[in-house]
Amino acid sequence: MMAASVSLSPDVLAKYQPVIGLEVHVQLLTETKAFCGCINRYGGEPNTHVCPTCLGLPGALPVLNRQAVEYAVLAARAIHCEIRERSVFARKNYFYPDNPKGYQISQFDKPIAEHGWLDVPEGDGSSGTMKRIGITRLHMEEDAGKSLHDGFADSVSRTYIDLNRCGTPLLEIVSEPDLRTPDEVFEYLTRLKEILLYTGVSDCNMEEGSLRCDANVSVMLKGASQFGTKAEVKNVNSFRYIRSAVHYEIERQIAVIEDGGRVVQESRLWNNAEGRTYSMRSKEQAHDYRYFPEPDLPALVVGAAWQAEILRALPELPEARRARMIDEYGISPQDAATFTSTRAFADQFEAAAKKARSPRRVASLLTSEITMRLRAAGMEMDASPITLDGLVLAADLAESGEISSKMLKAMLDTAFLNREDFSVVYAREKPQQISDSSVIEKLVEEVIAANPRQVEQFKGGKRTVSAFFVGQVMKASKGQANPALLNELVVKKLDEA
Ligand code: ADP
Ligand code: MG
Ligand code: ZN
């Protein structure tokens, strides 16, 4: 087996500048396919979600799916593209068994959107500066079917074809060759996926192929005026693998050049088990799809009024939402990033933060105590037994000091163990409150006697030290002292002391 990494000295690596551009395909979550009425759903008995149009039977005509256009416009705007009012579908001609028409309906010189961008942390992210990655274009096209090579008794001699996927609406999003490191590639994809999920146009499920990425990689000597020859790495099914594949590919190309060779323009496949890429087929220079305007579809016109109507569905996007949440709730950038990782999580936090006394308390509960218990139980956030009201109650009790953190943890443990809401556990197990002032007074006196140094500080004008006494007495009462009464008595006794 070949070694997964090429060994090159740091000096050699430092001579070269990697250049990367990404082509991302996303399947749209429309009800039906791009140009026919067939259901658009993953899986199903092979060749059951098909009709004369998506089977490419002679005479069957395509009709464009309105929802696919709306999703394309939403996604395009979310990545800051300009929308072209009049775009044109084109035939991309090629033969392949899973492509029954012999062409794919795509867009060529007049795509629906162009000139977008996305910001990513520069380099390995350590400098803290952001860098703008250009998005060349976003266009609409249709997916092909699938060739099935395994799982049949006669798989050795036959390949089967499933055309259920044929005609699924796709967006292709092409970046400029602006990416420079494997980490920038990872960040670009992570942020792009987050945005697509927020707009709701795709589920971006990589295992099911709803998000696929080809990475174009080249290297050149630093300072060179022309990019090197690129190789395209295909068929990588996770962002982390793409990062590894790009890393490998950069070093492979440098090694080829250092050996006096030339990088060949080709498609390569990533083999995850071996941690390397393999040549798949060299891309003939005259790769000619003979694009021409699709004669069966009129130009697509998205006028200003329709565009405005579509864009009303554009939600607040992750970057803007993070900034607002930090500002509005005083939470840390890390917590804001955690919450905005999905729209549902951010919605949940915000709903609780608006009701609770302290949004920051809600944030810390969610990111620590609750996340920890979900992880231990192997549960997703949406399976959490803690409801919105339970979360707000827990945060408020912790904030006011009515329950100690130890008690809070014990009650959360019970809630997760019994799959009960926190408010149910609290109603049953809430500590008996001590509201007898003579009992609390006695505890306050004891704590004051035991801490003369803090008493001096208080008398010296540092009145915030009273919080220390409140905490000590609360602890001594095992969290059961009535907090309002306790506060009042501490200040009174300190003033008298
Ligand atoms: P092709 O016609 O071979 O598909 P394109 O010009 O359409 O090439 O570019 C496809 C992708 O490759 C884009 O994302 C682009 O940014 C990227 N790309 C183009 N040239 C290079 C290069 N020299 N090195 C790395 N990526 C490149
Ligand atoms: Mg291309
Ligand atoms: Zn169909």
Side-chain angles (χ1 to χ4, degrees):
M1 204 169 286
M2 298 285 292
S5 86
V6 188
S7 68
L8 292 165
S9 74
D11 287 351
V12 169
L13 288 172
K15 290 197 312 195
Y16 291 90
Q17 175 61 66
V19 171
I20 309 131
L22 301 177
E23 293 166 283
V24 173
H25 284 93
V26 254
Q27 290 182 339
L28 296 176
L29 272 181
T30 53
E31 305 290 321
T32 54
K33 292 186 180 180
F35 302 109
C36 64
C38 289
I39 186 164
N40 172 26
R41 186 167 301 157
Y42 177 78
E45 269 297 296
N47 302 305
T48 52
H49 304 162
V50 293
C51 73
T53 299
C54 56
L55 287 175
L57 300 187
L61 292 171
V63 177
L64 178 59
N65 182 333
R66 187 182 181 92
Q67 198 180 21
V69 177
E70 293 173 350
Y71 282 178
V73 169
L74 267 183
R77 183 46 67 82
I79 52 176
H80 313 99
C81 284
E82 292 162 18
I83 315 287
R84 186 192 294 272
E85 188 166 315
R86 185 175 179 281
S87 63
V88 174
F89 286 96
R91 287 191 184 180
K92 178 180 180 179
N93 299 282
Y94 67 95
F95 170 78
Y96 207 73
D98 63 15
N99 171 34
K101 293 200 296 288
Y103 60 86
Q104 175 191 27
I105 303 181
S106 181
Q107 294 185 312
F108 183 52
D109 55 347
K110 294 189 176 62
I112 187 159
E114 290 172 294
H115 312 307
W117 53 265
L118 236 169
D119 287 340
V120 301
E122 187 165 36
D124 61 4
S126 58
S127 71
T129 43
M130 299 295 277
K131 170 176 166 186
R132 186 150 292 183
I133 307 301
I135 291 173
T136 317
R137 56 193 270 142
L138 173 152
H139 69 248
M140 302 178 68
E141 58 186 31
E142 58 177 338
D143 212 343
K146 270 184 197 166
S147 300
L148 310 174
H149 303 288
D150 317 296
F152 299 93
D154 53 358
S155 289
V156 181
S157 56
R158 268 170 225 254
T159 288
Y160 288 76
I161 304 288
D162 175 10
L163 296 174
N164 282 352
R165 194 176 75 176
C166 213
T168 296
L170 292 180
L171 299 181
E172 179 171 343
I173 301 168
V174 183
S175 89
E176 290 288 305
D178 287 347
L179 296 152
R180 293 290 176 268
T181 69
D183 286 324
E184 288 179 3
V185 167
F186 182 86
E187 283 293 329
Y188 172 90
L189 290 169
T190 304
R191 283 157 194 260
L192 179 61
K193 177 178 169 186
E194 206 174 68
I195 290 172
L196 293 169
L197 286 174
Y198 262 63
T199 52
V201 304
S202 175
D203 62 17
C204 298
N205 184 330
M206 291 191 84
E207 284 93 66
E208 293 181 356
S210 14
L211 189 153
R212 313 195 285 269
C213 172
D214 299 335
N216 298 272
V217 181
S218 69
V219 300
M220 60 181 176
L221 282 171
K222 277 186 181 154
S225 58
Q226 253 194 334
F227 287 162
T229 304
K230 71 177 153 67
E232 184 185 33
V233 186
K234 289 182 162 297
N235 208 23
V236 194
N237 61 7
S238 91
F239 293 171
R240 269 185 296 138
Y241 294 165
I242 292 173
R243 179 164 56 191
S244 306
V246 168
H247 182 87
Y248 173 86
E249 190 55 25
I250 290 168
E251 298 199 343
R252 183 191 70 83
Q253 293 183 10
I254 293 175
V256 166
I257 296 170
E258 286 287 311
D259 268 359
R262 268 180 352 117
V263 174
V264 186
Q265 177 160 346
E266 61 182 352
S267 294
R268 298 180 67 89
L269 278 184
W270 169 248
N271 181 314
N272 194 53
E274 296 177 24
R276 54 166 292 183
T277 60
Y278 280 95
S279 177
M280 187 162 87
R281 57 178 140 89
S282 60
K283 203 164 183 173
E284 318 81 77
Q285 290 295 6
H287 199 85
D288 193 351
Y289 292 118
R290 294 184 180 272
Y291 281 98
F292 64 86
E294 166 61 65
D296 291 339
L297 287 167
L300 166 61
V301 177
V302 185
W306 188 19
Q307 213 189 105
E309 187 191 315
I310 296 168
L311 293 176
R312 270 194 277 140
L314 194 65
E316 183 181 28
L317 294 169
E319 197 72 55
R321 193 166 189 181
R322 274 191 280 279
R324 180 180 57 73
M325 281 170 55
I326 292 167
D327 189 53
E328 194 170 330
Y329 305 110
I331 60 176
S332 69
Q334 294 92 301
D335 284 357
T338 305
F339 295 137
T340 52
S341 66
T342 70
R343 215 169 137 182
F345 198 11
D347 286 347
Q348 190 199 22
F349 166 74
E350 287 210 68
K354 282 191 189 346
K355 284 180 143 185
R357 292 185 208 178
S358 161
R360 289 169 64 156
R361 180 70 69 169
V362 173
S364 74
L365 257 182
L366 270 177
T367 55
S368 59
E369 298 299 334
I370 292 185
T371 299
M372 204 173 76
R373 285 171 177 78
L374 284 171
R375 211 167 281 160
M379 282 194 268
E380 292 296 322
M381 186 58 81
D382 58 8
S384 171
I386 313 297
T387 66
L388 181 64
D389 288 337
L391 176 61
V392 172
L393 177 66
D396 284 351
L397 291 169
E399 185 64 20
S400 66
E402 277 168 77
I403 59 173
S404 64
S405 76
K406 205 171 136 196
M407 247 184 242
L408 176 72
K409 286 177 187 179
M411 285 188 208
L412 285 172
D413 282 340
T414 308
F416 273 82
L417 191 69
N418 300 348
R419 303 276 193 273
E420 293 174 313
D421 189 13
F422 178 84
S423 44
V424 174
V425 178
Y426 180 72
R428 189 176 60 232
E429 299 182 5
K430 75 172 152 215
Q432 292 302 312
Q433 262 201 359
I434 304 172
S435 295
D436 180 339
S437 59
S438 64
V439 175
I440 298 176
E441 226 175 292
K442 191 160 162 286
L443 291 172
V444 173
E445 280 162 5
E446 282 168 19
V447 171
I448 284 179
N451 296 283
R453 200 164 54 83
Q454 282 82 353
V455 174
E456 283 313 311
Q457 288 176 350
F458 183 83
K459 286 200 202 159
K462 203 173 164 205
R463 296 187 67 85
T464 50
V465 179
S466 67
F468 163 79
F469 290 95
V470 170
Q472 293 296 307
V473 177
M474 193 53 104
K475 211 163 154 188
S477 76
K478 299 195 168 59
Q480 296 180 1
N482 176 315
L485 200 55
L486 170 58
N487 267 310
E488 185 190 314
L489 287 171
V490 162
V491 175
K492 178 167 163 257
K493 290 280 165 193
L494 280 172
D495 281 334
E496 286 170 11

